[in-house]
Amino acid sequence: MRYDGDARDRGQVALEYLGFLPILLLVALAGIQLGLVAYTAQQAGTAARAGARSASLDEDYQAACVGAVSGGLADGTACSRADLGEAVRVTAAVHIPSLVPGWDFGEATRTATMPLDHRPRST
């Protein structure tokens, strides 16, 4: 009797690959989501700094804060201001988008503080 192991094992590699493919896709999706979380946190920091700079100059900090965030994330951005006497603090909260429907990663929140500008304004 002849052993024909190669012919019987031919489909096994394809089957093992198909079993491993969902795990590979899940790891890739998690990596992309982690990058999206980091990018959103960076955008929140940029928004807080821009808002604090505008608030220290007594300008519209809301517009500067939301305007500093990239287009896709601007809709989920909220900024708040706190006067600290000689300084102003702006907190920006940007909603973290999710690649998986139904999962909510919350918001990335960053705060920036700037001293108030006391120079007289020219008209």
Side-chain angles (χ1 to χ4, degrees), residues 85-98:
E86 291 294 313
V88 64
R89 177 183 304 140
V90 173
T91 301
V94 181
H95 181 72
I96 300 170
S98 175

Side-chain angles (χ1 to χ4, degrees), residues 39 43 66-77:
Y39 178 70
Q43 288 287 296
V66 173
V69 178
S70 67
L73 298 174
D75 290 338
T77 302

Side-chain angles (χ1 to χ4, degrees), residues 9-87:
D9 292 340
R10 223 178 266 169
Q12 182 177 351
V13 173
L15 193 60
E16 287 175 358
Y17 179 73
L18 285 175
F20 186 67
L21 192 60
I23 296 170
L24 195 62
L25 289 173
L26 187 63
V27 169
L29 188 65
I32 293 169
Q33 182 67 55
L34 185 62
L36 192 56
V37 169
Y39 178 70
T40 304
Q42 180 269 333
Q43 288 287 296
T46 300
R49 285 189 303 278
R53 187 178 321 110
S54 290
S56 72
L57 297 171
D58 201 26
E59 297 175 355
D60 185 9
Y61 77 95
Q62 286 279 356
C65 187
V66 173
V69 178
S70 67
L73 298 174
D75 290 338
T77 302
C79 302
S80 62
R81 173 183 175 156
D83 292 318
L84 306 174
E86 291 294 313

